[in-house]
Amino acid sequence: MAHGNYSYKPTNAFTKWLDSRLPIIRLIDESVLAFPTPKNLNMWFTFGGILTFMLAVQIVSGIVLAMHYVPHETQAFDSVERIMRDVNYGWLLRYMHSNGASFFFIAVYLHIFRGLYYGSYKAPREVLWLLGIVIYLLMMATGFLGYTLPWGQMSFWGATVITNFFSAIPVIGESITQWLWGSFAVDNSTLQRFFSLHYLLPFVIAGVVVLHIWALHVPGNNNPLGIDVKGPADTVPFHPYYTTKDAFWIALFLIVFCYFIFFNPNFLGHADNYVPANRLVTPAHIVPEWYYLPLYAILRSVPDKLFGVILMFGAIFVWALLPWLDTSRVRSNRFRPFMKQFFWILMVVIFLLGYLGAQTADDSNLVFFGVELPIGKILLSRILTIYYFLHFLLITPLVGLMETPHAVPESISKAVLAKKGGAQS
Amino acid sequence: MDNANVTRRDFIYVASAAAAGVGLAASLWPFIDQMNPAADTLALKEVEFDLTPVIPGQIVTIEWQKKPVFIRRRTPEEVKAAEDAPLGDLIDPQADKDRVQKPEWLILVATCTHLGCVPSKEMKGEFGGWLCPCHGSHYDTSGRIRKGPAPKNLEVPPYQFLSDTKVLIGAAPKAGAAAEHHG
C-alpha cells in the first residue's frame, strides 16, 4: 500500500548506469523523497525526524568529545574539566552532548506518548512499536553509561545503584555484578568498559532505527485520525511536504535546545556531579537524571529489593504487551471519549511519579511545589505505581471493550476537506 | 523401517554442527571472562588498620578491595542495644555475637545490601546504627537491617585481630576468635 504504484525512473545516462548496479538513488527516492505519507500529519508526528537529528547530534558531538576525554579513574574528571576550560569550544561541545541527551529523551517521550494517543502501536504496526521499545531501552543504557563517564559523585553512585539492580537476581546476582564491574565495586575497570560500550551503543541504536523505519515503511505512517490510507488522494510525497514540516519543527526544537546550551546548561544536571567521585561517601541525596525519575519512583515504592527491580523493568515491558492489551477497534483517541480521559490521567500519573522520584527517600508528606499534601510520599508512590500498571493491564482492555467510539471519517481526504470547508463557512 | 532415511551423511551433519557449536561456545568464553576481576584486582586482598586513634562512639571508613569498610568502636549502650534486640524482630535474623569478634569493635562492609550506597555515618536512622541515604534502609548498632528495602544485614568481612590495636581486614579469623566473646 505504502509504495503505491510509483516507481523511480532514472533520467540520465549516469543514473541509469548506477541504477542497474547499485540502486541507491532508487532506494532514497522511493523510501524518503517520494514516499507517500498521510496528508494530515500534525506536529506530534515530527518527532521521528527530530529524534533522527538528535541521534546525529549526539554521535557527532560524542565522537569529538572522545578525542579529548580520558577514560581512567584518576584522569576522567580532570579531562572533562579540561574540555570545559582549555579545549577550543570544548564547553560548547560538552554542553551540547549533555543537554542533547536530555533533549533526545524529551523528544522520545513525546514520540512515545504520541504513539499512545493515536494508537500507533495497534495492528499492523506492532513490530514497529516493539522496535521502538528496543531503541528506548538502548537509549536508557547509553544515557546511563554516558552519565558515568565524567566520574563525579553522581556518576559514581548512579553507576553503583544501577549495576546493583543485578545483585537482586537470586544466587548468581553477586557474581554478575562483579563481572559487570570487573572488580568488587565500581572501579576503573568499570569506567573503561562503560566508555567502550557508550561509544558502541549509539551505532547499535542507529542500526535499530533503520529497522524501525523499515517497519514503518511497510504499513506506512499512522495519522491523527488513526484510519488507513485508502488511496493516493489521502497522501502527499514525503518531500517536500514533510521534509519542510520536519525542518520547521526541528528549528523550533533547536531554539529551545540552544536556550539550555547557552543560558542554562546545568539546569538539567546535578551540582554533586561537579564533585569528583569518592568511593567512601555517598551524597546525602542521590537522584538519577530526570528521564529515569518515574521509573526510579516505581523502584523505591516497593519495599522488596527483587520485586522493586522487577516492577521497574516491568513498567517498560508492559508497553510491549500494549498492542495485544488494547481491545479497541479504533486507533486514535480522537474518537475514543473515555480512553482519551484515561490517557491524560496516565500522563499526570507519570509526571507525579517523576516528581516523587526526585524527592528524598524518607516517608514525610509530599510537598508539591511548596504546598504540603496530607499524604506520605511512599504511600502516594505506591498508589501511583499500582495505577500505572492498572492503566495498561486493566483499564486499556476494559475500556476498549466497553466504550462506544465516535464515528470515524470515511477517509483522510474527506476529513481534511470537511475540516477546511467548515473553517471557510 | 524409520531409520531407512537416516544416512551416514546425516551423522556427519549432526556431528559437524555439534563440533562447531562447542567450538563457538568455547571461543566465546575468553570474551566473557575478560570482564571478571583481573589478577591485580584480586590481589588487593588484605589491608591492615591501626585501631589506636578510634575513640568510643566513632565510626571510621577505610577502603578494602575498593569497597568502603566501617570500623565502629561501639559504646556499651550500643553493644547492649545490639545484643538485646529480639531476633524475632529482625528481617535477616542473626545474633550480635555472631557478627563481632570483640563486642567493642564492629567491622562491616559499608555497602548497603539494597543497591550498594554507603549508609550515612551522620544520619544514624531509627535504630541508632546507619541510615542509607539512597532508599532509606535503617541498620541497627550491629549493622543489621531493621527497616527499608535492603534484604540483608551489612556484610561482615573476614578479619583477624593481629593484636589488641591492630586488625587485618581480608584475612580469615584466627581459630577460636569468636570464643573470646563467649568467654
Side-chain angles (χ1 to χ4, degrees), chain A residues 38 63 71 76 78 93 116 119 134 159 199 203 207 216 222 313 341 385 407 425:
Chain A
I63 286 172
D78 292 345
L93 296 166
L116 277 179
V134 172
Y199 207 119
F203 298 98
L216 168 71
N222 187 28
F313 284 108
Q341 318 292 330
T385 299
S425 61

Side-chain angles (χ1 to χ4, degrees), chain A residues 49-276:
Chain A
I50 290 172
L51 284 161
T52 313
F53 183 83
M54 287 310 295
L55 179 61
V57 168
Q58 290 305 88
I59 288 179
V60 171
S61 57
I63 286 172
V64 293
L65 284 169
M67 295 176 184
H68 305 280
Y69 170 77
V70 185
H72 190 274
E73 62 176 348
T74 59
Q75 293 168 68
F77 188 90
D78 292 345
S79 76
V80 172
E81 286 309 302
R82 183 176 163 270
I83 289 170
M84 294 300 291
R85 294 155 199 238
D86 298 336
V87 174
N88 297 334
Y89 290 103
W91 59 272
L92 176 63
L93 296 166
R94 175 166 175 259
Y95 280 153
M96 212 185 261
H97 197 71
S98 59
N99 286 286
S102 280
F103 274 76
F104 204 162
F105 275 99
I106 290 173
V108 87
Y109 281 125
L110 292 173
H111 190 66
I112 292 168
F113 296 152
R114 188 287 319 272
L116 277 179
Y117 188 85
Y118 293 117
S120 301
Y121 49 85
K122 288 174 74 67
R125 296 186 182 81
E126 302 95 323
V127 173
L128 172 62
W129 174 255
L130 294 176
L131 287 166
I133 296 173
V134 172
I135 294 170
Y136 173 69
L137 290 173
L138 286 167
M139 282 176 63
M140 299 277 271
T142 310
F144 155 68
L145 294 169
Y147 194 61
T148 307
L149 303 183
W151 213 238
Q153 274 289 67
M154 282 292 166
S155 298
F156 184 89
W157 293 103
T160 298
V161 168
I162 306 272
T163 48
N164 264 294
F165 289 164
F166 296 91
S167 71
I169 300 168
V171 187
I172 52 166
E174 196 183 327
S175 310
I176 289 180
T177 47
Q178 291 190 359
W179 177 75
L180 288 171
W181 295 329
S183 183
F184 304 105
V186 173
D187 188 7
N188 186 52
S189 329
T190 323
L191 175 60
Q192 292 194 347
R193 65 190 55 180
F194 276 20
F195 178 62
S196 170
L197 294 172
H198 180 71
Y199 207 119
L200 166 72
L201 286 189
F203 298 98
V204 178
I205 291 177
V208 185
V209 166
V210 170
L211 296 181
H212 191 63
I213 294 173
W214 186 7
L216 168 71
H217 281 194
V218 177
N221 290 74
N222 187 28
N223 63 82
L225 298 172
I227 57 176
D228 290 333
V229 167
K230 300 218 164 58
D234 289 343
T235 65
V236 289
F238 192 83
H239 178 74
Y241 294 96
Y242 286 112
T243 42
T244 320
K245 193 182 181 92
D246 280 1
F248 175 74
W249 285 98
I250 287 172
L252 287 189
F253 191 80
L254 283 181
I255 291 172
V256 185
F257 183 34
C258 286
Y259 163 75
F260 280 91
I261 294 176
F262 291 102
F263 297 99
N264 219 342
N266 289 302
F267 178 77
L268 297 163
H270 199 293
D272 268 326
N273 219 28
Y274 285 101
V275 177

